[in-house]
Amino acid sequence: MSTVKKGFPEGFLWGGATAANQLEGAYNEDGKGLSSADMVVYVPKEKRTGGHAIEITSEQIEKILSGELQDARFPKRYGIDFYHHYKEDIALFAEMGFKVFRLSINWARIFPNGDDAEPNEAGLQFYDNVFDELHKYGIEPLVTLAHYETPLGLTMKYNGWASREVIGCFTKYAETVFRRYKDKVKYWLTFNEINMMTISPFTGGGVVIDRVDNKLQTIYQALHHQFVASSLATKLCHEIIPDAKIGCMLARMESYAHTCNPEDVLKNQQENQRNLFFTDVHARGEYPTYMNRYFEENNIVIQKEAGDDEILKKYTVDYISFSYYMTLTISAEPGGDRAEGNLFGGVKNPYLKASDWGWQIDPTGLRITLNTMYDRYKKPLFIVENGLGAYDKVEDDGSIHDTYRIDYLRQHIAQMKEAIADGVDLIGYTSWGPIDLISMSTSEMSKRYGFIYVDQDDEGNGTLERSRKDSFFWYKNVIAANGEEL
Ligand code: BG6
């Protein structure tokens, strides 16, 4: 009898993934404080440098807070107004048959300044309402504690995660929500794409990098604080909700050597190690030795306190989650024809097509990465983001024929099935942005991932009316057939 697994396991967690700052809106309602995402100004494509505009300087923060930027728009403050539409949106997720819905709690809704003595009851109540609504339809919430929403108060007071003080603020917040939602939430994640800190410290950790002299030192020190905080949150979660599972989250950048030239292969191996560093710490419970040389050559000295290494070792994650949109191709030669990506670099891969935003589409790469990660960690894997950001066209009759999105998802899900047959323990899949929302990297609305269309444009105009795209009906069927019909 064959021991090869055929198809998705029973109880596989199909659903969609979002983040509070791209979804909720209501940025100043019911006692919410400002968060890092609320400071991000929309910059139209033609004025952007490097394809995105998410890092912020001290000067910009001052100007925003003093009201000097009169004409600036902040789309992440308004999202798609899930705050007032959550019942309608969750009903649509239920209609698709979602088993799980990934969302983040906006930390500044619970602790408006990040270090308040008491939590904000209205903020806590909002998530109670959302979780109750999900459970009404049998949908499990999967909650990210930190998805680029560091309270601005922590940036102003401590320069965000650059300071060790923030560990205590975070664990207090984590403990508060674990206690409050212990009967409602059984799947948790600590930091979304924890490796974001190396690309955009403000996005990843509320760190304003022009305030410090040694940028790399600050980035890796802030990451150390997040690693310790993540382990402490894991400890608390297990103590408070013994039947919960808590994981880490990585922007996985599977990469290929550009050629079989050993120099390319070596460079690629180093890039790959620096990407897996984050999951290595979370899953293996220690800093990998390959980072020692990188730290030394870049004058990085991590300040650890007594007991930090034991904490990392003792409280490792239950499962590993990651986002997967594309792969990278690494060349040892500088320059070359560069590919676009979600903030990560690389040269163009001639075998791959790219999205409208230049992200290189690679379904087979998903099978490769699932195998890589399972081989390495032997822990359950959860794909918590994947999808195609694309322009959609609304036809005269209101329909939206997003065959490109269906094709993308179909091919990726087919490769997940292959990986399961390869022996990978994959427990769930939440595609990114099941309902159109604000883009993280560009703050655009026109970069759409959803099965559900939202009537709003890049300038914030529109009725916010929701409608079903063709992919809505397709995904509904995929879930009903547990992935057997793509
Ligand atoms: C991931 C983030 O990097 O990619 C999400 O966790 C983000 O917040 C997603 O939205 C897609 O990126 P973008 O820039 O197309 O919104």
Side-chain angles (χ1 to χ4, degrees):
M1 207 182 79
S2 171
T3 51
V4 176
K5 291 214 180 92
K6 306 266 177 340
F8 292 88
E10 215 179 294
F12 188 78
L13 292 165
W14 297 98
T18 59
N21 74 87
Q22 297 168 257
L23 182 76
E24 287 176 2
Y27 77 101
N28 59 357
E29 283 183 44
D30 297 332
K32 181 185 164 294
L34 286 175
S35 80
S36 45
D38 295 321
M39 305 303 280
V40 180
V41 175
Y42 170 66
V43 182
K45 201 174 183 175
E46 51 293 353
K47 295 192 181 149
R48 255 176 264 143
T49 45
H52 59 87
I54 47 176
E55 264 303 286
I56 288 199
T57 61
S58 306
E59 194 189 339
Q60 281 167 317
I61 293 187
E62 266 170 46
K63 281 190 179 163
I64 293 168
L65 294 180
S66 66
E68 228 180 282
L69 296 184
Q70 289 290 333
D71 297 331
R73 282 208 329 104
F74 302 89
K76 289 173 185 162
R77 295 184 179 186
Y78 305 98
I80 55 154
D81 199 27
F82 176 81
Y83 197 78
H84 299 108
H85 289 75
Y86 70 92
K87 287 193 180 173
E88 173 189 352
D89 295 344
I90 291 171
L92 287 164
F93 301 151
E95 191 181 322
M96 275 188 279
F98 276 23
K99 312 286 180 215
V100 63
F101 175 55
R102 176 178 176 227
L103 70 166
S104 67
I105 294 180
N106 200 325
W107 183 355
R109 232 180 245 300
I110 311 300
F111 288 98
N113 300 293
D115 62 352
D116 312 70
E118 295 300 326
N120 170 32
E121 176 55 32
L124 288 167
Q125 187 57 50
F126 169 66
Y127 294 104
D128 260 321
N129 298 344
V130 170
F131 299 146
D132 289 345
E133 197 66 20
L134 289 167
H135 284 300
K136 194 167 111 185
Y137 298 103
I139 302 174
E140 284 292 332
L142 161 59
V143 172
T144 316
L145 290 168
H147 194 132
Y148 309 151
E149 290 132 1
T150 311
L152 188 66
L154 298 179
T155 295
M156 305 311 277
K157 204 160 165 185
Y158 302 115
N159 204 12
W161 282 93
S163 163
R164 195 169 172 108
E165 291 289 328
V166 177
I167 299 179
C169 305
F170 180 80
T171 51
K172 181 172 168 183
Y173 154 62
E175 182 168 355
T176 304
V177 297
F178 291 151
R179 290 201 187 285
R180 176 81 171 213
Y181 306 124
K182 64 180 183 330
D183 298 323
K184 299 183 183 178
V185 182
K186 304 294 176 184
Y187 291 94
W188 296 88
L189 291 172
T190 53
F191 293 91
N192 180 68
E193 296 186 336
I194 189 164
N195 45 330
M196 174 54 84
M197 183 82 77
T198 59
I199 309 288
S200 169
F202 185 71
T203 309
V207 178
V208 184
I209 210 68
D210 64 31
R211 287 198 202 155
V212 301
D213 292 333
N214 187 340
K215 189 172 168 214
L216 267 184
Q217 166 69 30
T218 303
I219 287 173
Y220 279 92
Q221 188 61 45
L223 276 165
H224 179 69
H225 298 148
Q226 292 195 339
F227 286 139
V228 173
S230 182
S231 293
L232 290 173
T234 301
K235 171 181 187 284
L236 284 165
C237 183
H238 288 156
E239 285 166 4
I240 299 167
I241 328 176
D243 58 340
K245 300 255 176 271
I246 183 159
C248 56
M249 199 304 202
L250 175 76
R252 175 62 184 140
M253 289 293 140
E254 185 70 45
S255 60
Y256 308 133
H258 183 46
T259 68
C260 52
N261 178 341
E263 295 306 318
D264 281 353
V265 177
L266 178 66
K267 180 88 193 301
N268 178 50
Q269 184 180 52
Q270 290 167 340
E271 290 284 333
N272 202 40
Q273 284 177 326
R274 280 207 287 282
N275 184 240
L276 291 171
F277 158 58
F278 304 88
T279 33
D280 278 359
V281 176
H282 273 109
R284 293 172 162 171
E286 60 193 20
Y287 276 69
T289 48
Y290 57 77
M291 287 304 281
N292 293 344
R293 181 165 185 180
Y294 176 78
F295 290 154
E296 200 168 295
E297 288 177 355
N298 289 283
N299 300 318
I300 298 164
V301 181
I302 311 268
Q303 308 291 329
K304 292 184 184 173
E305 277 193 4
D308 283 2
D309 284 335
E310 288 70 26
I311 289 169
L312 297 181
K313 192 75 203 172
K314 217 162 157 194
Y315 308 109
T316 55
V317 288
D318 300 318
Y319 67 100
I320 291 165
S321 82
F322 59 90
S323 59
Y324 178 90
Y325 293 93
M326 68 182 103
T327 48
L328 301 181
T329 303
I330 303 298
S331 165
E333 291 289 319
D337 195 5
R338 312 301 293 179
E340 298 288 328
N342 57 348
L343 316 173
F344 298 83
V347 295
K348 280 197 178 139
N349 183 332
Y351 300 98
L352 302 179
K353 293 201 175 103
S355 77
D356 292 339
W357 274 260
W359 295 16
Q360 299 185 110
I361 301 169
D362 184 3
T364 306
L366 180 55
R367 176 176 174 187
I368 295 169
T369 208
L370 283 164
N371 274 284
T372 306
M373 305 217 23
Y374 192 62
D375 267 1
R376 196 168 175 113
Y377 304 119
K378 290 282 180 290
K379 295 214 184 210
L381 303 180
F382 202 141
I383 301 166
V384 295
E385 286 186 33
N386 170 241
L388 181 72
Y391 293 110
D392 287 334
K393 179 170 178 282
V394 185
E395 304 295 338
D396 291 343
D397 64 356
S399 58
I400 295 148
H401 306 305
D402 56 342
T403 42
Y404 35 90
R405 184 169 294 110
I406 295 173
D407 285 346
Y408 177 102
L409 295 168
R410 176 189 288 130
Q411 290 171 31
H412 283 77
I413 295 173
Q415 293 300 319
M416 285 154 49
K417 204 170 160 188
E418 293 296 332
I420 290 170
D422 293 337
V424 170
D425 180 9
L426 180 63
I427 57 174
Y429 175 79
T430 54
S431 71
W432 177 251
I435 182 164
D436 295 341
L437 36 64
I438 305 296
S439 158
M440 181 276 288
S441 57
T442 65
S443 293
E444 288 164 312
M445 187 66 210
S446 52
K447 189 178 188 188
R448 296 172 184 275
Y449 287 85
F451 306 115
I452 302 163
Y453 185 86
V454 177
D455 180 29
Q456 177 168 238
D457 66 16
D458 286 342
E459 303 305 322
N461 305 310
T463 61
L464 289 178
E465 199 184 316
R466 279 62 168 150
S467 56
R468 297 164 185 79
K469 305 181 193 176
D470 285 358
S471 57
F472 180 99
F473 303 100
W474 173 81
Y475 195 46
K476 180 179 176 177
N477 190 51
V478 169
I479 298 176
N482 199 27
E484 287 310 306
E485 287 169 30
L486 298 175

